Amino acid sequence: VITGWRRRRERGGLWLAGGLLLLGASEAVLRLSVPWKEAASHGIRVAGYLAVARFVVALTRHSIRFRFLVGFASVLVAVVLVVSSAVRQVIEGNLREGAEARVADQSLDLSRDLVDRARDSARLVVGVGRPLADQIRQGEVDAAAVVTAFNQEIDFVLFLDEHGRVEDRSPGLSSDEALGVAGSRVVRTALNQELPSASVDRIGFRGRLAVVGAAPVLQDDRLEGVAVAGIEIDANLLDQRLPQEIQAAAFSGPGRPREAASTFPRKTRVPNRLLRPLHEEALSSGDPVATEMTIGESRYFVAVGPLLREGGEPVGSLLVAEPATLLAATQRQVDQVLFIVMLVVIALAFLLA
């Protein structure tokens, strides 16, 4: 405003004042809490540069000294822009690669954490089942119901004899589901090798995704049976195992991915046209696949990793998403630094001229 008032009688003075006001307003718009702030800021900034350019054109028509000044400043600004753009691309590329590697690691860590949790739960169930083995075999105590009642983290429990036959099961587990779990590879590993085992599996005809852990019940080094603990993969489980700003979703497969659990806001769904190629690639390769995509109205760095049954057979995929806010904030900071550098270069050109 002061510049406009002081240069109101000079050629292009009002254009210069208006341009500076618009450039300042473009930075102020970024502080607003509205979804369209970035687009509005870019538009206002372009208008500001155009106004300043109009002032430069008006002044160069009537000043040889200013023409020399503009030429000198333009060369400096061009050099700064080339170098700064290269630096910006390198910084952005490094941040993008780091974010994709980070979500891929989080996908692997979450998958391992779920399996470890099921294995530990099975060991906990063994502690209950060992002293009650005879009562469970004779049907005198409902140990499975007791375990699930006092341990809210475990969704279902099975007690099997040394031949893999079901002796006791949680009330929420149907007989068909219990037979399916009893015949799983996790249980066979615990029976045949007498070692704790755990993996992700699909339970029952509905194909519920769950992590299942099985541990042998031993008495005097003799196999008395197997204790099985299952934890269903749902939104609460995923939310508990991840930082607050990270979102996750589990999908059953192979084939068309079907959502089993999600921590994304209600009515926010991962676009199937983008998810399915990542889901299929993760299941076929056995490794997480990372990329960047828009989910709902937000931009995320996403990694889709496989969920594998005991033996390596894929039963689904796990998606971990980190908001791309860090990259956007860094880009804004770099743009602000470039803007300040250009102002310094222009001021230096004025002084040298």
Side-chain angles (χ1 to χ4, degrees):
V1 174
I2 295 174
T3 300
W5 176 257
R6 292 179 60 185
R7 294 180 175 269
R8 65 187 185 278
R9 299 184 184 281
E10 298 180 11
R11 297 181 182 275
L14 294 178
W15 285 104
L16 176 60
L20 293 177
L21 281 174
L22 289 172
L23 290 175
S26 69
E27 297 297 325
V29 168
L30 290 175
R31 304 296 190 275
L32 301 177
S33 299
V34 291
W36 42 264
K37 62 181 180 182
E38 292 187 8
S41 174
H42 287 307
I44 296 172
R45 186 175 299 163
V46 170
Y49 285 138
L50 291 175
V52 173
R54 179 66 180 82
F55 159 73
V56 172
V57 171
L59 200 58
T60 52
R61 288 178 178 175
H62 300 85
S63 174
I64 295 177
R65 181 172 178 270
F66 194 76
R67 291 178 188 176
F68 171 76
L69 175 63
V70 169
F72 181 63
S74 298
V75 173
L76 289 178
V77 169
V79 172
V80 171
L81 282 177
V82 170
V83 174
S84 301
S85 297
V87 172
R88 184 180 188 273
Q89 289 179 358
V90 171
I91 293 174
E92 182 179 338
N94 290 339
L95 288 173
R96 195 179 302 277
E97 290 178 3
E100 291 179 355
R102 189 164 54 251
V103 292
D105 290 341
Q106 287 174 336
S107 175
L108 287 173
D109 291 343
L110 179 57
S111 179
R112 295 192 190 104
D113 180 56
L114 295 177
V115 172
D116 291 342
R117 188 174 179 181
R119 187 181 292 110
D120 293 340
S121 297
R123 291 193 180 103
L124 175 66
V125 175
V126 168
V128 176
R130 184 181 291 115
L132 300 176
D134 292 336
Q135 291 92 325
I136 293 173
R137 185 173 291 110
Q138 296 171 12
E140 296 176 356
V141 62
D142 191 356
V146 172
V147 172
T148 52
F150 284 94
N151 193 324
Q152 299 297 322
E153 294 183 351
I154 300 176
D155 292 311
F156 61 86
V157 169
L158 279 176
F159 287 104
L160 311 176
D161 64 14
E162 66 274 18
H163 302 294
R165 292 188 293 262
V166 178
E167 292 185 332
D168 191 15
R169 59 182 170 87
S170 300
L173 197 67
S174 68
S175 58
D176 291 335
E177 291 174 336
L179 289 174
V181 173
S184 65
R185 292 186 178 181
V186 168
V187 172
R188 290 202 299 270
T189 298
L191 280 171
N192 298 332
Q193 301 180 20
E194 298 184 7
L195 294 173
S197 179
S199 74
V200 182
D201 211 333
R202 286 198 300 266
I203 307 301
F205 293 110
R206 292 180 297 168
R208 290 186 296 163
L209 280 180
V211 281
V212 179
V217 180
L218 302 174
Q219 291 282 11
D220 300 326
D221 295 330
R222 183 169 55 87
L223 182 66
E224 294 286 337
V226 171
V228 182
I231 304 174
E232 188 172 352
I233 299 177
D234 57 15
N236 291 331
L237 178 63
L238 297 177
D239 196 44
Q240 292 171 7
R241 314 311 293 181
L242 288 170
Q244 184 176 2
E245 69 276 7
I246 304 299
Q247 305 295 339
F251 302 89
S252 61
R256 183 177 182 273
R258 297 176 298 279
E259 186 179 286
S262 174
T263 64
F264 286 95
R266 185 172 297 179
K267 297 183 180 179
T268 300
R269 292 290 181 269
V270 182
N272 189 66
R273 59 183 178 81
L274 300 177
L275 171 64
R276 187 164 185 173
L278 301 176
H279 174 85
E280 293 175 349
E281 183 178 351
L283 297 191
S284 61
S285 67
D287 295 315
V289 181
T291 187
E292 186 179 1
M293 70 168 62
T294 299
I295 302 175
E297 297 181 354
S298 302
R299 196 73 178 166
Y300 291 91
F301 290 106
V302 169
V304 178
L307 293 174
L308 304 177
R309 179 182 284 151
E310 178 83 2
E313 180 187 354
V315 295
S317 63
L318 182 64
L319 179 146
V320 175
E322 176 184 295
T325 52
L326 176 61
L327 179 61
T330 304
Q331 288 175 335
R332 287 196 297 268
Q333 292 174 358
V334 171
D335 290 340
Q336 291 171 358
V337 171
L338 294 180
F339 176 69
I340 293 173
V341 169
M342 283 192 295
L343 289 181
V344 171
V345 168
I346 293 173
L348 180 63
F350 272 101
L351 291 175
L352 295 177

